[in-house]
Amino acid sequence: QVQLVESGGGSVQAGGSLRLSCAASGYTYCMAWFRQASGKEREKVATISTGTLRTEYGDSVKGRFTISHDNAKSTLYLQMNSLKPEDTAMYFCAASVAYTACSFGRYNYWGQGTQVTVSS
């Protein structure tokens, strides 16, 4: 069982920056950030393989967000720059511990979420 605890959310004006963190209690094979805005479906923001550090991004955040992972601290990060009002959402950290799950984009463990609000 892996526990994930997010932090770093808050309110910021458009154009500003925030960094989200997600501390994992154990080993993970892959991790990701998702977000869900009020009344909308959950959206995958970015993913990372904790071994190869290979990353992928959703089209809406490419060039503005950066996902990273510190293996020594077992912590996932999401640096969010040039924030827009449409980035407002609850952001969730997710993880899997097995190659098969990761290869299919399945995440078995989820954090409680942290709110990001961007005002215009």
Side-chain angles (χ1 to χ4, degrees), residues 96-115:
S96 287
V97 299
Y99 167 79
T100 301
C102 291
S103 64
F104 284 96
R106 295 173 185 163
Y107 297 90
N108 305 112
Y109 303 100
W110 293 81
Q112 80 288 354
T114 185
Q115 178 68 37

Side-chain angles (χ1 to χ4, degrees), residues 31-53:
M31 299 187 76
W33 288 100
F34 288 78
R35 67 186 181 185
Q36 187 164 20
S38 179
K40 295 187 177 181
E41 293 187 355
R42 187 174 64 193
E43 175 188 8
K44 185 186 297 183
V45 175
T47 68
I48 188 168
S49 168
T50 59
T52 64
L53 299 183

Side-chain angles (χ1 to χ4, degrees), residues 19 31 59 66 77-78 81 91 99:
R19 188 176 82 153
M31 299 187 76
D59 289 340
T66 301
Y77 301 97
L78 184 68
N81 298 328
Y91 284 71
Y99 167 79

Side-chain angles (χ1 to χ4, degrees), residues 28-100:
T28 59
Y29 192 92
C30 63
M31 299 187 76
W33 288 100
F34 288 78
R35 67 186 181 185
Q36 187 164 20
S38 179
K40 295 187 177 181
E41 293 187 355
R42 187 174 64 193
E43 175 188 8
K44 185 186 297 183
V45 175
T47 68
I48 188 168
S49 168
T50 59
T52 64
L53 299 183
R54 179 177 179 268
T55 60
E56 292 185 355
Y57 295 90
D59 289 340
S60 62
V61 306
K62 282 180 181 177
R64 300 188 299 122
F65 290 11
T66 301
I67 189 171
S68 61
H69 184 261
D70 185 329
N71 283 327
K73 297 181 179 179
S74 297
T75 300
L76 178 73
Y77 301 97
L78 184 68
Q79 178 66 44
M80 305 185 293
N81 298 328
S82 301
L83 282 161
K84 304 175 181 180
E86 51 264 44
D87 294 318
T88 295
M90 184 72 79
Y91 284 71
F92 297 91
C93 169
S96 287
V97 299
Y99 167 79
T100 301

